[in-house]
Amino acid sequence: MIGHGFMGAAHSQGWRVAPRFFDLPLEPEMAVVVGRSAAGVEASARKWGWTESATDWREVVARDDIDVVDIVTPGDTHAEIAIAALEAGKHVLCEKPLANTVAEAEAMNQAATSAAERGVRSMVGFTYRRVPAATFARDLVAAGRIGEVRQVRAEYLQDWLMDAEAPLTWRLKKEHAGSGALGDIGAHAVDLTEFITGQHLTSVSGIIETLVKERPLLGEGVGLSGTASAERGEVTVDDIALFTGRLDSGALASFEATRFRTGRKNALRIEIAGSTGAIAFDLERMNELEFYDATQPGLELGFRRILVTEHDHPYLAPWWPTGHMLGYEHGFSHQVRDFVTAIDEGSAPRPSFADGLHVQRVLDSVERSSAAGSVWTPIAG
């Protein structure tokens, strides 16, 4: 695993726990974690159960005893690491968004396509696909339970940047993050919409805005919650993205991605209205799904709550008894389960680098639409 911050902890949990609950066809060995600081990455290795730590990812990627490379670094490093790993014959799991630019994502997808011809697999970490309630929502839509998809509302709402004096971290710098709320969390809203509906966005019209344009610089070795310096720097990414999209079928979808929605901590919400029903999911109530069956008698109409904890629901058979809830970290175990199974079967895991490239093109189209005055902009490819 290359990188060991917040996503490093989540991915480590997934690698450690998945083999203990799922009957995996291959046994993952947590061989080495890589980071820039020798002391920091060594502490992470001890904490999360990696056998070794290292500071040079190129040396690790070249090792014969490494089969899989898991990339959890900032977006500006994804392309270089992923392409090198694929060319070295390593299976690659890469965090979302796939890259910082369409050009980088295209190069990564080309490398993945070439590697697949040699049996080397790759996947993007859109983990929310693997929340059981979200997967079950996809299954219900695919089974025709809401009829023809007519309208979608998707939003990812957070408030962790509300404090204008919060320091200027890498997530607020375009050269490292690629974009702000649009790519960081908006990418999830786009992918989950397409996953659940089984459709792709074909065009978008939107606007992005930076609400706080300068923030205090971080002092030496100071984290997000630490003391910032008196010197200030420019925020070069968006704080909020609002856009409308059209799906393959012609259905319209509205999207909001913001890290300034006061009171919302991690609210990824999606509601899909169809010709015979509707379905709604909220990550802050991640074990539940709301379902509306418009074919029922008028006196019985209304959204009903489905508790998605039955063993017949997606991914849930190995876990706890009915009604015992899963949490945020379980999606990463499901991700490991699916990735390892695909490697063993020689099948193409999803979401693929091609899926990640498509999302990157959507993000790029939103940015171009905003720059041009919110004009409708087609999705390339």
Side-chain angles (χ1 to χ4, degrees):
M1 185 176 72
I2 302 173
H4 61 107
F6 163 47
M7 275 296 104
H11 280 235
S12 295
Q13 174 80 350
W15 287 111
R16 183 172 61 242
V17 173
R20 289 161 175 80
F21 280 83
F22 292 92
D23 186 17
L24 298 182
L26 300 169
E27 178 73 17
E29 296 177 359
M30 296 172 63
V32 56
V33 59
V34 184
R36 290 174 295 180
S37 163
V41 74
E42 183 180 352
S44 293
R46 289 196 305 269
K47 182 176 181 179
W48 298 330
W50 294 88
T51 303
E52 301 176 43
S53 63
T55 57
D56 189 336
W57 67 262
R58 293 173 181 84
E59 288 184 1
V60 172
V61 165
R63 283 170 45 167
D64 291 337
D65 63 330
I66 300 298
D67 303 305
V68 174
V69 173
D70 185 359
I71 303 170
V72 295
T73 56
D76 60 322
T77 62
H78 286 186
E80 182 182 12
I81 298 172
I83 292 171
L86 290 167
E87 290 178 347
K90 315 301 181 185
H91 307 292
V92 173
L93 172 60
C94 183
E95 255 303 320
K96 49 55 58 185
L98 186 60
N100 277 4
T101 67
V102 170
E104 290 175 346
E106 287 174 339
M108 294 171 72
N109 183 52
Q110 184 176 358
T113 301
S114 298
E117 296 174 356
R118 308 190 307 274
V120 178
R121 307 300 166 192
S122 54
M123 191 172 80
V124 187
F126 282 111
T127 321
Y128 295 136
R129 287 186 175 208
R130 294 177 165 88
V131 172
T135 307
F136 186 52
R138 186 274 314 268
D139 294 346
L140 289 174
V141 172
R145 295 297 302 278
I146 68 168
E148 175 190 351
V149 172
R150 289 177 170 171
Q151 184 179 351
V152 180
R153 182 180 182 89
E155 51 189 9
Y156 204 154
L157 315 174
Q158 298 177 342
D159 71 355
W160 63 275
L161 282 176
M162 280 298 301
D163 181 2
E165 295 304 305
L168 188 69
T169 66
W170 70 266
R171 290 188 183 275
L172 302 176
K173 301 177 182 179
K174 190 173 183 65
E175 66 270 25
H176 296 306
S179 64
L182 177 62
D184 183 22
I185 55 180
H188 276 304
V190 169
D191 181 73
L192 198 60
T193 293
E194 296 191 334
F195 173 67
I196 294 176
T197 63
Q199 299 187 38
H200 283 90
L201 287 165
T202 59
S203 58
V204 292
S205 170
I207 185 169
I208 61 175
E209 181 67 43
T210 304
L211 303 181
V212 176
K213 295 178 170 56
E214 287 188 347
R215 290 183 178 272
L217 299 179
L218 280 171
E220 179 97 20
V222 177
L224 179 61
S225 60
T227 303
S229 71
E231 190 177 354
R232 305 180 76 84
E234 182 185 5
V235 176
T236 53
V237 299
D238 59 280
D239 289 324
I240 182 172
L242 302 168
F243 58 102
T244 304
R246 190 175 295 278
L247 297 167
D248 294 325
S249 65
L252 287 175
S254 63
F255 296 87
E256 178 181 354
T258 176
R259 301 182 292 202
F260 274 76
R261 181 65 79 88
T262 307
R264 298 299 180 187
K265 304 306 174 184
N266 199 38
L268 173 56
R269 300 140 65 107
I270 180 167
E271 184 167 325
I272 303 169
S275 57
T276 61
I279 203 159
F281 168 75
D282 186 340
L283 186 63
E284 290 186 340
R285 298 170 63 184
M286 65 184 300
N287 292 277
E288 301 176 18
L289 200 61
E290 290 185 271
F291 178 66
Y292 183 95
D293 185 353
T295 67
Q296 295 299 305
L299 296 179
E300 299 176 15
L301 291 177
F303 275 95
R304 62 183 177 89
R305 169 179 174 261
I306 300 173
L307 189 62
V308 186
T309 63
E310 298 292 333
H311 281 182
D312 288 339
H313 282 133
Y315 297 106
L316 283 166
W319 292 110
W320 316 118
T322 297
H324 292 69
M325 308 301 186
L326 298 193
Y328 169 77
E329 73 278 7
H330 289 82
F332 296 92
S333 294
H334 303 159
Q335 179 170 261
V336 167
R337 179 259 192 193
D338 289 348
F339 191 43
V340 170
T341 300
I343 291 172
D344 178 69
E345 293 175 346
S347 59
R350 300 290 297 272
S352 64
F353 275 24
D355 296 325
L357 169 59
H358 168 74
V359 172
Q360 200 74 46
R361 286 171 170 161
V362 173
L363 305 180
D364 177 71
S365 293
V366 172
E367 288 192 296
R368 289 190 289 114
S369 172
S370 180
S374 302
V375 300
W376 278 94
T377 304
I379 312 300

